[in-house]
Amino acid sequence: MLTLLLDIITTAAILFIVSAGLLAIFGVLKIVNFAHGAWLTVGAYCAVVTAGLGLNPWLALPLAFAAGAVLGALTERLIVRPLYARPLDAILATWGLSIVIGQLITLWFGRDVQFTVSLLSGTVDIFGTAYSLYRLFALAAALVIGIGVTFVLEGTRLGLSARAIIMNEALARALGLDTARIRLVTFMIGTGLTALAGVLLTPLTSVDPNMGVAWLIGAFMLVMVAGSSFGALAVACLLFGGAQVIVSTFISPILGGITIAVLSALVLRISSKGFSRV
């Protein structure tokens, strides 16, 4: 029973880590970044490169964030910025970008599945139950990311400006805010967080050019339910992630794989705003 509870909590944490970057972009820019899976893959291959060079595997974390942020800046400036007024075109453009990134990764690294060294190995004893130390670290990482994002949104000028854009972009621009710069920085933070999430996923899954696709749909559905609220995202990850673990454990892993999508669709059918009021 304790193991099941820990699985629910840590699965929710992993889902939050994977979805946070997507929500950062959607919440401010109102753009669904369908290259999200590609940024996860970029981060994962940063871990592969770090391991291949014989460097400390922890260095993959800042390397991935920097790579994601720089590539995100180029993407926002060259592809996304002209499409803010055409969100459907932005979805298609980012989806196309994800395909291009996947093919470039395949050309460089090949299609072979790769594995990386875990940042933390072993188990820890919790009330007589041995549990994965890395999954507990993922929980701590989710808390750090959540607190960090909350601080940026609530305690910095960037966060205040971003919230002003969310509420009324035209008024924010009239008040002299550099909305283009705020959009750029927000996109960089979102893609940086996503690439960072890619590194954190590598001890839990194999790395291949298409690994991000498997996480994209779940993250997308969670963000649609959460709206622009990280608090709502945390609630959605806990509820839907918990349901996924329970269904996978007691019924079928195959049904567990579609649990998040099904529950998200049901919630949005009942309330188009999902959990955004949480």
Side-chain angles (χ1 to χ4, degrees), residues 86-111:
R86 294 146 53 197
L88 181 58
D89 290 344
I91 290 175
L92 296 175
T94 54
W95 179 255
L97 176 64
S98 72
I99 296 173
V100 172
I101 292 174
Q103 292 302 311
L104 291 175
I105 290 174
T106 301
L107 286 173
W108 188 268
F109 294 97
R111 295 185 179 275

Side-chain angles (χ1 to χ4, degrees), residues 126-219:
I126 302 176
F127 300 112
T129 300
Y131 197 75
S132 167
L133 179 60
Y134 186 77
R135 288 184 71 93
L136 293 175
F137 167 73
L139 173 59
L143 291 173
V144 170
I145 290 173
I147 294 171
V149 170
T150 300
F151 172 75
V152 170
L153 289 177
E154 303 292 338
T156 67
R157 183 178 179 81
L158 173 63
L160 182 63
S161 300
R163 284 188 290 147
I165 291 176
I166 292 172
M167 290 185 287
N168 191 324
E169 182 176 357
L171 180 58
R173 190 182 299 112
L175 292 174
L177 292 178
D178 188 348
T179 56
R181 177 176 172 274
I182 294 168
R183 286 178 179 273
L184 173 63
V185 173
T186 301
F187 201 92
M188 290 174 66
I189 291 174
T191 53
L193 284 175
T194 304
L196 182 67
V199 176
L200 294 173
L201 283 177
T202 54
L204 303 171
T205 183
S206 59
V207 179
D208 66 77
N210 297 313
M211 64 166 286
V213 176
W215 295 90
L216 173 61
I217 299 302

